Amino acid sequence: MGRDLGERNREAYARYKDDVRKEGKPFFPRAILHDTIMAFVVVAVMIALAVIWYWDAGDTPEGEGLEAGVLGPLYTLPADAGTTDFIPRPAWYFCFLFYLLRIFEWPETVFIATVGIPTIALVLLLGLPFYDRRLERRPSRRPVAMIAAVLTVLSMGVLTYKGATAQEALGSELLKLVPDWAEEQGFTGDEQANEGARLFAVSGCLNCHIYLGSGTGSLGAPDLSDVGDRYEPQALVRYLTNPAEFGNTVMGSYAYLGQENLEKLATFLDASTGDK
Amino acid sequence: MAKRKTKRQLLVDTAILAPIDWLDERTAVVGGTKYFLFRHVPRDVSWAQTLGFATLMAFMAQTLTGAILAMYYEPSAAINPETGKPVAYSSIEMITNELTLGWLVRGMHRWGASVFIILLFLHMGRVFLFGAYKYPRELTWITGVLLLATGMLMGFTGYLLPWDQTAYWATVVGINLNGTAPFAGPWLAQFLASGPEIGTSTLARFYALHMLLLPGAIFALIGIHIYLVTRLGVTSPPWSREAAGRERAEVQPAGGRAGLVRRGTDGGAK
Ligand code: HEM
């Protein structure tokens, strides 16, 4: 048809208005009845979830409500910046992001996962009515849109599932690796370095870093197996006290560990000179 | 001259009709309500189109349960001398274990958040499937996407408030994650954490975002969204035989009979 899109759009909408006026049904009470039933269902589901969550959670010796039921515990232990044996778990609807971080683990690509993909997704969503301008609304005549939608749903589903079920090593499990590390790096006899290694295992460093094949390697944190080649011990203490000084805004300060512990950590890191 | 009114009519007049007239004269509220309730919607509108209202309902329920929680919750990471635990954590324990039906309110709010997010996606999915984002509903779609983003931010900021291990460590990751962004990233991470360590000031900041700023934005966006939906009308399922705005065969091809026309116009007719 030769007529321009704007004109055809306006015609179609005028036809819509006309049809609704002539053949439509009144919003009240016909359509609002469906809405009201739906509203009750929503509230009922919320109540049901709350009841299952509350009644299925149990008590542990450490306190009421700490034992998880099917919908999880009522709360976990109080927040403690010093604990090391806790695995971060985001709300399920952020799990996809969590997993993207694992995929883009190399430092230069992290921001693709954290900012790039979400930003592109948002822009694509916002712009949708402006690049998909055809009049056609029937799904059977919109193959590209439908395929894109199916692919999006599938990949979001897979990422969410993988993120929600991803396993991470607990500090207590990593502790068992310390003797192997000591042997490989040759600091078996150095008690200071060994203590540093144990601190390293339980301080959550491996939630970001990799050390001799252990750890996750996310958020662009480098492999620390040979970090001793790159820094002097005193610089390492400074690094851990204030990572921002070294241009690292991702890693938090570990000053709370105390000067003595930081020196142990630094001794351990300094002794880490590579896996060969 | 009007007939003399009975006592009952007089009562109705002064107690009900007069105040409504007074209000309507100044606000046009009666016209507005009529416009909203007695408009027509397409004949084939059905369950799929209730998802938007369901999302609204979930948000209302969140607002109500959230307001009740806010009466008892204290956003502080300082240690409560009585319990030896952080103040925020203790207030959550108190709401869950001691307050009458506190567990229900907290449970509804906690799980309602997930229900809200799921409904947002379902509603968006149906709008996408129906192609309902197209002319003239582009702005409805855009306010919708903004609602989706603010809705997810509500989830992020609310997650920290119980101040338990799950909350704390998920937020640490979330804030560090912001720090990886180029340019604004470190600044954003600093703003969210509001200090070198995640503590009381972080909690206060998240609380303010979660119960003032973001809900305010959502209310405003919902207002625009619903206004646009009312003004523009809801779309019919595009595959419906009686879809409002369906194309009709306008011109019959020369020499064609009705039977032939239907095959010839490429599904355009009905
Ligand atoms: C707090 C969140 C939201 C609320 C309360 C809400 C509410 C509503 C309501 C009540 C309708 C009427 C028709 C229906 O129920 O389907 C509607 C329609 C619509 N919504 Fe939403 N919505 C929200 C989020 C969204 C999102 C995330 C999108 C998409 C990104 C969106 C896009 C639209 C569009 C384009 C329409 C018009 C549909 C049509 O004319 O058929 N909305 N919304």
Side-chain angles (χ1 to χ4, degrees), chain A residues 185 200 205 209-211 222-228 230 269 272:
Chain A
Q185 302 273 23
F200 181 78
C205 311
H209 288 282
I210 293 180
Y211 190 81
D223 189 332
L224 293 180
S225 312
D226 57 354
V227 65
R230 297 194 288 275
L269 291 172
S272 306

Side-chain angles (χ1 to χ4, degrees), chain B residues 15 17 33 46-47 64 68 94 99 108 114 119 142 145 156 173 178 185 193 216-217 225 252 260 268:
Chain B
L17 295 181
T33 311
S46 180
W47 290 105
L64 193 70
I68 298 173
M94 191 283 283
L99 195 67
M108 282 179 73
S114 290
L119 285 170
I142 288 179
V145 176
F156 177 61
V173 174
N178 278 301
H225 195 74
Q252 300 211 342
L260 292 175

Side-chain angles (χ1 to χ4, degrees), chain A residues 206-254:
Chain A
L206 290 171
N207 284 337
C208 296
H209 288 282
I210 293 180
Y211 190 81
L212 294 179
S214 299
T216 30
S218 64
L219 294 172
D223 189 332
L224 293 180
S225 312
D226 57 354
V227 65
D229 294 340
R230 297 194 288 275
Y231 293 89
E232 293 301 317
Q234 276 322 303
L236 285 167
V237 172
R238 281 215 332 272
Y239 199 114
L240 296 176
T241 313
N242 185 12
E245 188 193 322
F246 294 79
N248 183 347
T249 52
V250 177
M251 187 172 134
S253 161
Y254 284 89

Side-chain angles (χ1 to χ4, degrees), chain A residues 16 35 125 137, chain B residues 48-57 59 116 119-121 123-127 130-134 137-149 218 222 225-226 229-230 232-236:
Chain A
Y16 164 88
D35 281 342
L125 267 182
R137 296 199 299 114
Chain B
Q49 287 95 334
T50 62
L51 286 168
F53 189 77
T55 319
L56 180 63
M57 194 59 212
F59 181 70
F116 177 61
L119 285 170
L120 272 171
F121 278 104
H123 172 54
M124 185 167 93
R126 107 82 185 133
V127 168
F130 282 29
Y133 50 85
K134 299 187 175 197
R137 300 182 180 83
E138 296 94 333
L139 283 177
T140 323
W141 172 266
I142 288 179
T143 50
V145 176
L146 296 178
L147 278 167
L148 182 72
I218 292 187
I222 287 184
H225 195 74
I226 303 277
V229 169
T230 315
L232 299 170
V234 187
T235 47
S236 287

